[in-house]
Amino acid sequence: MGSCSVDRKKVEMLEVGPCKDGYEKGLLIGRRFSHLIKSRVATDLILQNQLRPFAHTPQSHSLLKPLFHNNKTKFPRYWDELLGTAAGSAVPLLDILLINFRKEILPFIPKDGAKIPNVDTPDDCSDVLVVSESMAIAAHNEDANVALVGHTYLIKGILPDGLFFVAYTYAGELPSCAFGFNTHGLAFTLDSVPPAEDEIVAGGIGRNFISRDILEATSLDDAVNRIRSSEVSVGHSYNLIETSTRRIFNVETASRKRISVYEVGETPFFHANMYLHLPINQANENSIRRQKRAAVLTKKSKGDFLSLLGDMDDKKYPIYMTGPLLYTLCTVVIDLDQQTLSIIEGNPKKGDFSHVFSISPQKSP
């Protein structure tokens, strides 16, 4: 995999709330980051070449209408956040909806071969997790299409009870399709997993809505229940971290409410966008080679984990990605013993932290 040169700026954070409703929250976010949302929409080739053209065809109606209706019905507050984001950023609502439901829509777009290049990929994000007597750590590379570089921000969302969440957010999307934490001492990172085409349920619940809901979970068990109760459209992998109990769960989901919950122990656990517990075998070469490379690297300390996530030994499919299609936007390290969440912008081998947050549980003011 080749490399590309991009400009990195320290990701900005907006504190928003308490708000009277979801629309106001989205409106404030949209206004503050309008320039990033507009820029993301203007440079998103998946939106321009695939999602928009499909949305304007008659055959899209049978997919988009129930997809939008089902998610609006189950999560009306989060739906209103998207309405507010569109209004605040002055970006068409359809564009906001399309980028939020990208993974739920793309599998149903007719494949026209050479007419439209496939610029999407399911191979994003890598995690290494461990809970032993000496350490309890979750470390995560946030990988995405290179078009997302410079199009992210942090949202500190203050809830009506005074508690809050912090979420790394893609411009125009719900917080968070990447990682976040809240004042209950619950944190999570997310990994894409590619289900077989016959696994995908049209009109199911979108992954962005489920992860937005987890930001308000009160415990690890509550987060699992929120995931379990949603009829997901496509598969996903959730790494749930709870500081108060010093536990990490890897939760893999597929359609029709199939779910696997694996508790991470003292053997370091590496995840690279392939199902490891559910019997769904859709991994491709990128995931397999990252998985194999991680298997031979030392994983005995936090420094080892950062070196692993910064590894570029496999030139075609490195763990730390620098383009031309996929790019590691940042690395996050969640230390359950120190009760911190730290963000590294740049290769994690260098250990240059741009943000460090306390994630110890807090009580309502």
Side-chain angles (χ1 to χ4, degrees):
M1 181 173 289
S3 63
C4 61
S5 176
V6 296
D7 294 328
R8 282 186 181 270
K9 294 181 180 180
K10 182 177 178 179
V11 65
E12 299 179 58
M13 184 166 78
L14 172 68
E15 182 174 311
V16 57
C19 297
K20 64 181 179 181
D21 53 28
Y23 183 87
E24 182 184 32
K25 179 176 275 141
L27 187 72
L28 294 172
I29 294 171
R31 285 175 178 170
R32 174 63 182 81
F33 294 111
S34 175
H35 62 298
L36 289 185
I37 298 171
K38 288 179 177 177
S39 175
R40 187 260 173 99
V41 166
T43 57
D44 191 324
L45 296 180
I46 299 170
L47 173 65
Q48 295 173 10
N49 295 337
Q50 299 185 67
L51 296 172
R52 266 193 205 143
F54 173 70
H56 290 99
T57 62
Q59 58 264 41
S60 72
H61 299 166
S62 61
L63 170 67
L64 298 184
K65 186 175 180 179
L67 178 66
F68 295 165
H69 171 78
N70 292 339
N71 283 269
K72 178 181 179 180
T73 300
K74 185 170 180 62
F75 294 115
R77 281 196 298 121
Y78 309 150
W79 183 267
D80 287 346
E81 284 186 29
L82 291 182
L83 299 182
T85 299
S89 63
V91 168
L93 175 60
L94 180 60
D95 283 350
I96 295 295
L97 295 177
L98 292 176
I99 61 176
N100 274 272
F101 288 106
R102 174 172 61 96
K103 293 290 187 180
E104 288 75 24
I105 296 172
L106 283 172
F108 297 96
I109 296 179
K111 308 297 188 293
D112 292 332
K115 287 181 62 178
I116 299 177
N118 182 14
V119 294
D120 186 39
T121 175
D123 303 308
D124 41 17
C125 303
S126 299
D127 283 84
V128 57
L129 318 162
V130 69
V131 178
S132 67
E133 289 186 5
S134 61
M135 61 178 174
I137 291 172
H140 167 90
N141 275 357
E142 183 58 32
D143 305 323
N145 189 287
V146 70
L148 269 298
V149 177
H151 295 111
T152 61
Y153 41 80
L154 289 163
I155 298 298
K156 180 178 181 180
I158 303 175
L159 303 174
D161 60 5
L163 297 177
F164 64 86
F165 63 78
V166 173
Y168 187 87
T169 305
Y170 292 2
E173 299 191 35
L174 285 171
S176 164
C177 67
F179 58 86
F181 72 93
N182 65 26
T183 38
H184 294 287
L186 179 77
F188 65 80
T189 67
L190 305 174
D191 298 293
S192 172
V193 285
E197 288 194 6
D198 59 4
E199 280 288 321
I200 302 170
V201 173
I205 300 301
R207 298 178 308 165
N208 279 15
F209 281 75
I210 297 170
S211 56
R212 172 64 183 86
D213 196 41
I214 298 174
L215 285 169
E216 300 191 19
T218 58
S219 67
L220 192 152
D221 293 333
D222 182 33
V224 172
N225 288 335
R226 290 174 187 242
I227 296 169
R228 193 188 302 274
S229 67
S230 294
E231 185 72 49
V232 301
S233 177
V234 295
H236 214 28
S237 176
Y238 304 82
N239 301 301
L240 305 176
I241 299 109
E242 186 172 56
T243 58
S244 62
T245 60
R246 204 172 179 266
R247 291 187 298 171
I248 300 176
F249 283 2
N250 172 252
V251 181
E252 291 181 346
T253 64
S255 58
R256 302 167 187 90
K257 293 191 176 182
R258 282 183 291 171
I259 182 171
S260 170
V261 181
Y262 168 82
E263 183 163 6
V264 176
E266 62 183 16
T267 300
F269 176 81
F270 182 77
H271 199 286
N273 316 111
M274 54 191 290
Y275 282 106
L276 299 178
H277 307 299
L278 288 177
I280 301 171
N281 298 312
Q282 279 294 108
N284 62 21
E285 188 180 7
N286 189 330
S287 296
I288 292 170
R289 283 181 41 174
R290 279 183 289 144
Q291 201 81 28
K292 288 182 177 179
R293 176 61 183 160
V296 302
L297 294 175
T298 303
K299 297 179 281 294
K300 295 182 178 180
S301 67
K302 183 188 293 188
D304 291 340
F305 289 2
L306 294 181
S307 292
L308 185 157
L309 291 179
D311 186 78
M312 303 176 70
D313 184 76
D314 188 321
K315 301 304 180 185
K316 186 175 182 181
Y317 296 115
I319 294 174
Y320 182 80
M321 304 180 182
T322 57
L325 179 60
L326 286 169
Y327 204 95
T328 301
L329 303 177
C330 67
T331 299
V332 60
V333 181
I334 302 169
D335 190 316
L336 280 73
D337 294 323
Q338 294 183 2
Q339 298 194 340
T340 57
L341 182 149
S342 306
I343 299 174
I344 302 172
E345 298 183 64
N347 193 302
K349 287 183 178 182
K350 300 177 181 179
D352 296 331
F353 296 101
S354 62
H355 300 77
V356 180
F357 300 96
S358 169
I359 58 171
S360 58
Q362 300 179 30
K363 295 181 180 180
S364 299

